[in-house]
Amino acid sequence: MIAYFSSLILLTLMIFMFFSIRYTKDNMTENSEENSRMLVEQVNLNIQNYVEYMESISQVVINNRDMKEYLFGESNREVTANLIEQFQTLLKARKDIFNIAIIGYNGKYLINDGKSKLNPGAYLDRKEWYQEAKEAGTDIMISSSHVQNMVQGEYRWVVTLSRGITNPHTNKVEGILIIDMNYDLIKDLCESIRLGNKGYVYIVDKQGEIVYHPQQQLILSGVKQELLKEVLNGRSSIRSQNEYGEEKMYTPFLSPKTKWTLVGVVYTSELVKNDQAVRLMYFATASLLIVFTIIIAFVISNNIAKPI
């Protein structure tokens, strides 16, 4: 009778533990995914607010009559001085802006303080971000990260905001406004959150090109591999192993504003550590219950058998 009661209760306990551990594991994975998504959305919100502020700055420049007069009219010293003063005011107020430039398709241009020269070896027409900006017309375009060599003698990692400039005399887009934003600001926003001890956030544009990655140089040089195009259409988490056999969970989020895809990466090994702790807690509890079960089974069996 002791064996019967103990086996019955033990079987019930094992079934309960099996489903409890399975549910807990699934719940931990789901919570990790949701937490990662929330943190990635927060990074996106911060980046979106920053980009919107830069868009408002570009709107101020676009609406400047002196700017259009400089590119498409008979510019004079006063017009040039007013335009340079506006550029300098923006550059001094925003240390995260490296360059402000207006470039007309007629060959006229003005960069920063008016002393900066356009690098003839930059070949802007061959740059992908410049071609996309020209094709976009007056729409705002945000590039992926790149080395900006537009200014002679300067080579900086930037993210470029650009938009077309309309000639008021022809009502056609005949110039482009360029604002080079400090790449380190995007980096700081992505590194401001923690996804476990080894997790991280990276950003790809709509073509699957890297905007930001904590190991960007290694990936561009081919030393490391990363999911780039695979995350563009991902609505839920993706699991993948890296070259060292470590499994990672990717949680993508498409930003409707920038059209960038922000991806949160969590190492499943860190989830397994938590899972092992939960299993240990369950087994410790089960061991105590088994001992308690045997005692109860002995008492019940004794109370039934003794009178007989």
Side-chain angles (χ1 to χ4, degrees), residues 106-122:
N106 57 9
K108 288 186 177 181
Y109 69 87
L110 181 69
I111 305 174
N112 299 332
D113 57 0
K115 298 178 182 178
S116 299
K117 300 297 182 181
L118 189 65
N119 183 6

Side-chain angles (χ1 to χ4, degrees), residues 223-271:
V223 176
K224 292 183 69 67
Q225 301 295 321
E226 191 63 277
L227 298 185
L228 299 177
K229 296 186 183 299
E230 294 88 342
V231 299
L232 294 182
N233 299 321
R235 297 183 179 179
S236 59
S237 293
I238 304 171
R239 289 178 179 264
S240 178
Q241 287 188 344
N242 62 12
E243 58 270 28
Y244 305 109
E246 296 177 305
E247 187 180 53
K248 297 187 286 186
M249 183 173 69
Y250 294 77
T251 305
F253 176 81
L254 176 62
S255 172
K257 180 69 176 179
T258 61
K259 307 304 179 185
W260 291 345
T261 298
L262 288 79
V263 186
V265 182
V266 177
Y267 283 79
T268 55
S269 59
E270 296 185 338
L271 299 179

Side-chain angles (χ1 to χ4, degrees), residues 32-42 195 234-237 250-254:
S32 177
E33 180 181 345
E34 184 62 26
N35 181 61
S36 178
R37 189 175 299 279
M38 289 177 61
L39 291 174
V40 169
E41 287 183 7
Q42 182 59 50
L195 295 174
R235 297 183 179 179
S236 59
S237 293
Y250 294 77
T251 305
F253 176 81
L254 176 62

Side-chain angles (χ1 to χ4, degrees), residues 12 38 55-56 65 89 98 110 115 141 145 178 224 264 268 274 301 305:
T12 305
M38 289 177 61
E55 287 181 358
S56 64
R65 293 183 179 179
T89 300
F98 281 151
L110 181 69
K115 298 178 182 178
M141 294 297 295
S145 58
I178 297 172
K224 292 183 69 67
T268 55
N274 296 331
S301 301

Side-chain angles (χ1 to χ4, degrees), residues 8 27 51 93 127 146 154-155 157 187-188 193 203 205 215 235 251-252 258 264 271 274 276:
L8 181 63
N27 195 44
V51 170
K127 304 290 186 182
H146 62 101
E154 292 186 6
Y155 301 89
W157 274 101
K187 174 184 175 183
D188 292 341
I193 66 169
I203 305 174
D205 62 16
Q215 296 179 317
R235 297 183 179 179
T251 305
T258 61
L271 299 179
N274 296 331
Q276 290 175 344

Side-chain angles (χ1 to χ4, degrees), residues 28-77:
M28 287 175 59
T29 302
E30 185 178 330
N31 288 341
S32 177
E33 180 181 345
E34 184 62 26
N35 181 61
S36 178
R37 189 175 299 279
M38 289 177 61
L39 291 174
V40 169
E41 287 183 7
Q42 182 59 50
V43 173
N44 171 70
L45 181 61
N46 294 338
I47 292 176
Q48 184 171 296
N49 290 338
Y50 174 68
V51 170
E52 287 178 349
Y53 184 80
M54 288 299 168
E55 287 181 358
S56 64
I57 290 178
S58 71
Q59 189 63 43
V60 171
V61 178
I62 287 291
N63 292 335
N64 190 334
R65 293 183 179 179
D66 290 331
M67 182 271 296
K68 294 184 178 181
E69 184 65 25
Y70 178 87
L71 283 183
F72 310 119
E74 296 294 331
S75 61
N76 52 47
R77 291 184 178 180

